[in-house]
Amino acid sequence: MSNRRAFLVTVGIGWAGYGGLGILLNPRYGTSRGLDHITQYVSMTLLGWGWVVLGTLAVLAGFIVRCPRIEAAGFVALAMPAALWGTAFLTATVTGYAAAIGSACGWLGFAGGVLWVSGMDDPLPRELRKR
């Protein structure tokens, strides 16, 4: 498995777990409060299922070989919830919940990291590398 595809599988499993265990089963107060701008339109339950579905899509994309479009979709699936969370926490920071700034930085940084990894090339197979 390539490094990029392994990243999709690993983080996708983490996203699905975060959605299922961290949002659906145990939505913390700080997370709920930081997402007020979103939860007035979309329930935490739906957001949790979004993490589970997008994480699962990333995992599936990681197992599909030689399909750059599917792989790209997997990276978008990883970046979307982190970017949404980061933007929501940044909005909460600006509108009066100053404690959300750390979460905003973390989630936006992670979304940027996912996009960065999506543009990296995998190393050549061992047999094709110069010695």
Side-chain angles (χ1 to χ4, degrees):
M1 177 175 285
S2 75
N3 293 340
R4 290 164 42 90
R5 290 181 28 242
F7 183 87
L8 286 171
V9 171
T10 302
V11 179
I13 290 169
W15 267 198
Y18 179 72
L21 302 172
I23 299 171
L24 292 173
L25 295 181
N26 186 23
R28 295 167 310 163
Y29 172 73
T31 301
S32 299
R33 182 170 177 200
L35 297 172
D36 280 348
H37 290 81
I38 295 174
T39 57
Q40 60 185 326
Y41 305 106
V42 180
S43 71
M44 283 296 282
T45 301
L46 187 58
L47 290 171
W49 278 111
W51 280 84
V52 171
V53 168
L54 291 170
T56 303
L57 288 174
V59 170
L60 294 174
F63 283 115
I64 297 175
V65 180
R66 292 186 184 89
C67 190
R69 289 183 180 170
I70 298 290
E71 194 173 284
F75 281 105
V76 169
L78 288 183
M80 280 177 48
L84 175 66
W85 246 233
T87 302
F89 282 115
L90 185 61
T91 302
T93 299
V94 172
T95 60
Y97 182 46
I101 190 64
S103 294
C105 291
W107 286 116
L108 290 173
F110 197 90
V114 167
L115 294 177
W116 184 28
V117 169
S118 74
M120 293 180 173
D121 292 328
D122 275 317
L124 290 171
R126 187 167 295 225
E127 62 273 6
L128 297 178
R129 293 183 209 159
K130 290 182 180 180
R131 293 183 191 243

